[in-house]
């Protein structure tokens, strides 16, 4: 007869990852330090990949000369307007699709048909329709933001617990009050998750649209630097885009914390 | 006759697609009385309550309500839900205020919220989030929200079934006091016969699906005089169980067969 005799070994650990901020910072610092060391030692050809110190110098020069702000301010304006327009219309249609049967099938059919089209491929068409000026760039951004927002919002509305809506109905709340006080707040986590996706899409489309037809903007600046083999400025522009992405993500994180604190 | 609302169920039947769940139900909930609906699982108790509260349209028959409603009543037929149905993004006070906000001035709303929170012992939890509360406390919020609209009729759908036994016993006593004090017509769905004999003035026993009225048992003793260990009530509980037992066993077998 088999016997067991001894202390019981702990076997319930793991599968509970937690954030380590220091590890994230150390990784970034480590990568940059290695990169700098490689460039200084001549292992990395600086003509193709400039050293971090050279990129920092170029960034400083661009800031001091005002060139950075000239380009960045235009990009920020395009990003804000395009994203807001796409988001407002996307939330509107997403709610309509999520709430009304009449709009559900037609709306989702259109979204499903148009969402997979790479929006960058539409930029030339938008330039024909709206001209080479701001219109085509803003429409590209808004169009790119619109569809994921519709899908996120409609999904959020679909997942609102039906019991909460029934509760509102049983207390005689109006249709508008149910949407405003129950459906929208319940769908908000999904809508805000959608913001994370759409803000990244908006930055990608911003750069693409600015590269195809713009005199100013970070995308145009990066393209121009690339054409001149000015890799210091090219990577300085890319660093700005990376920081912009981080900044947008931070703003959305703050928004989530402010609006979803109840979680 | 006491002032209040009379709820008359007249020949109500209901089917979900091809499945008949209720058939030929006729009942009357008298003003100020507590009607308890009991029966085996799947007999259509909650469906009947949904029909009585206007949340489901019956396939056959009709439900009528007639009588006096409180002068400041904001929602005559008011539900208390088994799963509490609280909005997690609103505090306790916010959940109660939800049903008052567009109907009362800001001051009147705040006063009524404070009043019902005091009545249900929730004043100290006004700013708490639902996730911070125990099941029993959450159901108190559900009760406070229901009382805030000054209902003429309370419809309670297994309000204690999600709670542990100790909390259930404590809340049951509070329910009895609150219902007696409010004097509203009440329809209470439960599968727990101890709750039924503790609260019901008339206990409606439904048969297994399709649910039909098997018996209506009247309990004339006032709610305030009923005690958990009362031999008469325990005997009545046994009598109800004997009525339901065979149907409950068959219903259980049908559920197992359906899930195979």
């Amino acid at each position: 007869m088999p016997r067991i005799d001894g202390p019981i070994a702990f076997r319930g650990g793991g599968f509970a990852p937690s954030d380590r901020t220091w590890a994230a910072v150390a990784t970034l610092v480590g990568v940059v330090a290695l990169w700098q060391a490689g460039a200084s030692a001549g292992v990395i050809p600086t003509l193709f990949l400039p050293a971090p110190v050279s990129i920092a110098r170029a960034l400083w020069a661009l800031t001091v000369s005002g060139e950075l702000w000239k380009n960045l301010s235009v990009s920020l304006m395009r990003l804000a307007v395009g994203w807001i327009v796409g988001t407002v219309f996307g939330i509107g249609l997403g709610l309509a699709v999520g709430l009304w049967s009449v709009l559900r099938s037609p709306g989702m059919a259109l979204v499903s048909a148009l969402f997979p089209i790479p929006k960058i491929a539409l930029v030339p068409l938008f330039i024909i329709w709206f001209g080479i000026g701001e219109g085509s760039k803003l429409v590209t951004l808004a169009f790119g933001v619109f569809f994921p927002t519709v899908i996120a919002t409609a999904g959020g509305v679909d997942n609102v617990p039906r019991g909460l809506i029934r509760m509102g109905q049983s207390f005689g709340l109006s249709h508008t009050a149910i949407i405003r006080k129950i459906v929208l707040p319940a769908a908000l986590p999904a809508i805000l998750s959608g913001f994370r996706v759409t803000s990244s899409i908006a930055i990608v489309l911003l750069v693409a649209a600015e590269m195809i037809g713009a005199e100013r903007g970070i995308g145009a600046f990066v393209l121009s630097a690339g054409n001149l083999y000015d890799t210091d400025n090219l990577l300085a522009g890319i660093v700005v885009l990376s920081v912009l992405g981080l900044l947008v993500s931070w703003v959305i994180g703050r928004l989530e914390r402010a609006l979803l604190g109840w979680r | 006759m006491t002032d209040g609302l009379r709820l008359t169920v007249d020949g109500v039947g209901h089917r979900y697609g091809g499945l008949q769940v209720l058939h030929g139900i006729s009942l009357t909930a008298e003003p100020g009385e507590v009607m308890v609906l009991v029966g085996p699982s799947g007999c259509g108790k909650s469906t009947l309550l949904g029909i009585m509260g206007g949340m489901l349209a019956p396939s056959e028959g009709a439900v009528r309500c007639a009588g006096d409603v409180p002068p400041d009543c904001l929602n005559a037929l008011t539900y208390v839900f088994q799963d509490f149905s609280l909005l997690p993004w609103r505090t306790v006070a916010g959940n109660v205020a939800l049903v008052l906000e567009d109907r009362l001035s800001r001051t009147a709303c705040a006063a009524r919220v404070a009043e019902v929170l005091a009545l249900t012992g929730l004043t100290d939890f006004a700013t708490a989030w639902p996730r911070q509360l125990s099941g029993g406390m959450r159901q108190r919020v559900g009760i406070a929200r229901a009382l805030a609209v000054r209902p003429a009729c309370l419809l309670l759908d297994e309000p204690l079934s999600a709670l542990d036994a100790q909390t259930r016993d404590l809340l049951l006593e509070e329910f009895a006091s609150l219902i007696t004090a409010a004097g509203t017509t009440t329809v209470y769905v439960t599968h727990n016969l101890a709750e039924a004999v503790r609260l019901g003035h008339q206990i409606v026993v439904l048969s297994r699906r399709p649910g039909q009225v098997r018996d209506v048992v009247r309990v004339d003793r006032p709610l305030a005089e009923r005690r958990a260990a009362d031999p008469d009530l325990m005997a009545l509980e046994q009598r109800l169980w004997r009525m339901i037992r065979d149907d409950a066993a068959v219903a259980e077998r049908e559920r197992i067969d359906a899930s195979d």
Side-chain angles (χ1 to χ4, degrees):
Chain A
M1 191 82 144
R3 270 176 54 83
I4 51 170
D5 182 12
I8 295 171
F10 173 63
R11 54 183 174 171
F15 297 100
S18 58
D19 286 334
R20 302 264 194 278
T21 309
W22 64 266
V25 174
T27 305
L28 284 176
V29 170
V31 168
V32 172
L34 270 177
W35 177 7
Q36 180 63 48
S40 302
V43 179
I44 299 171
T46 50
L47 180 65
F48 298 108
L49 185 62
V53 169
S54 307
I55 297 169
R57 274 200 210 105
L59 205 51
W60 177 250
L62 287 170
T63 310
V64 171
S65 68
E67 189 67 17
L68 178 65
W69 179 243
K70 266 188 210 165
N71 288 289
L72 186 60
S73 58
V74 172
S75 290
L76 285 177
M77 185 279 295
R78 287 173 184 147
L79 190 66
V81 174
W83 185 82
I84 288 170
V85 170
T87 298
V88 167
F89 281 97
I91 290 176
L93 184 64
L95 278 176
V97 161
L99 288 169
W100 289 290
S101 307
V102 176
L103 289 172
R104 191 176 186 85
S105 299
M108 284 318 281
L110 275 178
V111 170
S112 304
L114 296 174
F115 179 51
I117 297 172
K119 307 304 174 290
I120 295 168
L122 295 173
V123 175
L125 187 67
F126 289 150
I127 290 175
I128 293 169
W129 286 357
F130 301 103
I132 194 79
E134 291 305 307
S136 56
K137 293 168 196 59
L138 295 178
V139 169
T140 304
L141 256 79
F143 204 68
V145 166
F146 174 75
F147 292 104
T149 307
V150 173
I151 291 168
T153 308
V157 173
D158 278 348
N159 286 325
V160 175
R162 294 296 112 175
L164 294 183
I165 294 175
R166 296 283 169 265
M167 180 275 292
Q169 289 176 320
S170 79
F171 276 95
L173 299 192
S174 67
H175 203 76
T176 321
I178 289 174
I179 293 172
R180 195 161 44 88
K181 296 178 180 183
I182 298 175
V183 174
L184 262 178
L188 200 56
I191 294 172
L192 289 178
S193 288
F195 282 8
R196 285 196 181 276
V197 175
T198 58
S199 60
S200 304
I201 290 174
I203 292 173
V204 170
L205 288 175
L206 169 79
V207 173
E210 287 181 343
M211 282 182 166
I212 289 175
E215 287 181 7
R216 290 222 167 269
I218 295 295
F221 174 80
V222 167
L223 184 69
S224 158
N227 289 340
L228 298 171
Y229 268 82
D230 183 357
T231 47
D232 288 1
N233 274 336
L234 189 155
L235 280 173
I238 289 170
V239 168
V240 169
L241 287 171
S242 172
V243 172
L244 183 63
L246 285 174
L247 202 68
V248 168
S249 176
W250 178 81
V251 168
I252 293 169
R254 299 296 297 183
L255 202 63
E256 281 177 336
R257 216 177 292 177
L259 296 173
L260 307 178
W262 52 269
R263 292 202 297 188
Chain B
M1 189 184 84
T2 23
D3 289 347
L5 210 61
R6 170 180 285 110
L7 220 54
T8 310
V9 180
D10 185 16
V12 161
H14 194 70
R15 50 175 64 244
Y16 291 110
L19 188 69
Q20 183 90 33
V21 288
L22 289 172
H23 178 66
I25 305 278
S26 292
L27 296 165
T28 302
E30 294 295 342
E33 276 195 357
V34 181
M35 172 192 274
V36 179
L37 303 177
V38 296
S41 295
C43 72
K45 304 184 287 285
S46 293
T47 300
L48 180 57
L49 191 76
I51 291 169
M52 291 172 89
M55 299 301 292
L56 272 174
S59 308
E60 302 143 27
V63 180
R64 284 185 52 77
C65 63
D68 302 323
V69 298
D72 48 359
C73 170
L74 297 172
N75 189 51
L77 302 167
T78 296
Y79 270 91
V80 175
F81 298 88
Q82 179 183 1
D83 65 355
F84 325 125
S85 290
L86 301 182
L87 304 184
W89 53 89
R90 283 184 173 237
T91 60
V92 166
N95 266 285
V96 177
L98 171 81
V99 296
L100 306 172
E101 282 165 351
D102 296 334
R103 298 153 164 179
L104 297 178
S105 69
R106 196 178 284 256
T107 324
C109 175
R112 199 175 289 188
V113 169
E115 178 201 322
V116 292
L117 290 186
L119 193 67
T120 48
L122 288 167
T123 305
D124 292 342
F125 300 91
T127 57
W129 299 102
R131 68 177 157 78
Q132 297 173 308
L133 303 177
S134 65
M137 295 299 272
R138 285 183 210 180
Q139 194 52 290
R140 272 180 211 211
V141 182
I143 296 282
R145 182 177 58 192
L147 295 177
V149 293
R150 305 275 198 265
C153 179
L154 273 173
L155 304 156
L156 300 104
D157 189 4
E158 302 201 37
L160 303 180
S161 65
L163 308 177
D164 63 82
Q166 289 173 2
T167 311
R168 198 162 55 220
D169 288 347
L170 288 170
L171 263 186
L172 188 58
E173 295 307 314
E174 290 185 29
F175 270 18
S177 308
L178 286 169
I179 288 170
T180 308
T184 54
T185 309
T186 301
V187 184
Y188 189 104
V189 167
T190 184
H191 59 268
N192 184 314
L193 299 179
E195 286 173 35
V197 298
R198 177 71 184 84
L199 290 179
H201 291 109
Q202 60 170 320
I203 301 169
V204 178
V205 182
L206 296 178
S207 66
R208 71 187 165 90
R209 195 177 63 223
Q212 290 172 288
V213 177
R214 175 185 275 265
D215 204 350
V216 177
V217 179
R218 287 209 62 86
V219 186
D220 291 325
R221 190 177 301 182
L223 297 192
E225 292 173 18
R226 299 185 195 181
R227 296 288 171 263
D230 187 316
D232 292 344
L233 295 183
M234 289 173 82
L236 176 58
E237 192 182 324
Q238 286 302 314
R239 188 179 138 207
L240 290 171
W241 173 235
R242 280 195 295 275
M243 277 189 229
I244 292 172
R245 188 174 50 200
D246 291 344
D247 271 358
V250 174
E252 190 59 27
R253 275 201 297 278
E254 281 176 352
R255 273 169 48 161
I256 292 165
D257 291 345
S259 65
D260 282 345

